[in-house]
Amino acid sequence: MSNSLLSFWKGEKKKLKRADITKKRNGSFGLICRDNITLILKVFEEVWDERFKTVKPLNELFKELFIADKIVDYFESRSLFSDKELLKGVPYHLAELAKSCDSLAVFVNNLISIEPSMANAVKIAMKYSIQEIYDDLASRWDKNAALTALTAHTSKGLEFDTVYLGKDFSTPKELFFQFIE
């Protein structure tokens, strides 16, 4: 069933294999979310003081959030600095959209239908200091940690003794109804 759902849902060609029940357990945990932003927020808000590691470097995971932070700064400071200065490093299409909007709220509303993940990143940047989140997670990152935080695109979860899925995954009931529609 898992292979059928993955094939239908993601177009996945590789087949999942059952984990060898007799293999030695290493006490590892996997925290798996669908995207980097949800993963970062999950670790920041719910894992608290626990040490963790990631497969990708933290600065790569934070890429969208750092861009979102620049966009929030742009709307807070655009009367003081030039657009070019404030939007340096922001992808062209996002910079142009930001310049065409009167407020951050209008920008987010326009962005939701184009890039929902980036709209979510901007909402997070409005709520939190992205640099503080980065610093907190960087201080807890440990290559020997038992908990590995990663996206579903990076892992199938078979390499962990215990896997926790983020709330951004559909429940089996939701998947069933998506599958039959």
Side-chain angles (χ1 to χ4, degrees):
M1 170 114 176
S2 296
N3 286 322
S4 298
L5 284 174
L6 281 172
S7 177
F8 174 77
W9 186 36
K10 282 181 52 179
E12 186 68 51
K13 301 292 183 226
K14 294 180 184 175
K15 300 288 185 194
L16 292 178
K17 297 176 185 164
R18 285 189 180 271
D20 181 4
I21 296 172
T22 62
K23 82 174 187 177
K24 183 179 176 188
R25 298 296 186 187
N26 59 11
S28 63
F29 298 90
L31 170 62
I32 302 175
C33 294
R34 288 181 80 170
D35 63 53
N36 293 335
I37 296 167
T38 306
L39 182 68
I40 291 165
L41 207 54
K42 182 91 171 161
V43 172
F44 177 69
E45 290 182 336
E46 297 180 27
V47 176
W48 300 301
D49 296 331
E50 191 167 335
R51 315 282 303 154
F52 72 99
K53 62 186 170 193
T54 55
V55 175
K56 293 180 181 178
L58 278 181
N59 61 338
E60 189 177 323
L61 294 176
F62 271 81
K63 188 176 178 180
E64 280 183 298
L65 286 169
F66 284 134
I67 290 170
D69 204 32
K70 286 184 177 193
I71 291 168
V72 171
D73 287 348
Y74 167 75
F75 280 99
E76 292 174 351
S77 309
R78 69 182 180 182
S79 63
L80 304 172
F81 301 98
S82 72
D83 291 350
K84 187 176 182 179
E85 209 176 340
L86 290 169
L87 294 171
K88 185 178 181 184
V90 173
Y92 179 79
H93 70 287
L94 295 176
E96 290 302 306
L97 180 61
K99 288 189 253 182
S100 72
C101 295
D102 294 335
S103 70
L104 188 53
V106 171
F107 174 80
V108 171
N109 285 336
N110 290 336
L111 191 59
I112 286 172
S113 62
I114 303 167
E115 288 189 42
S117 180
M118 182 54 78
N120 188 30
V122 172
K123 288 177 185 177
I124 292 167
M126 292 166 63
K127 183 176 179 181
Y128 296 107
S129 162
I130 301 305
Q131 190 61 50
E132 284 180 23
I133 294 174
Y134 181 85
D135 292 344
D136 173 63
L137 296 189
S139 72
R140 295 189 288 127
W141 194 94
D142 178 358
K143 71 177 183 176
N144 298 315
L147 175 65
T148 303
L150 64 169
T151 64
H153 303 285
T154 310
S155 172
K156 297 292 185 225
L158 297 177
E159 64 271 38
F160 305 107
D161 291 340
T162 306
V163 174
Y164 300 100
L165 293 177
K167 292 179 182 176
D168 55 340
F169 282 101
S170 301
T171 64
K173 184 178 178 181
E174 291 167 337
L175 280 176
F176 176 74
F177 285 112
Q178 288 174 2
F179 192 71
I180 62 171
E181 287 178 353

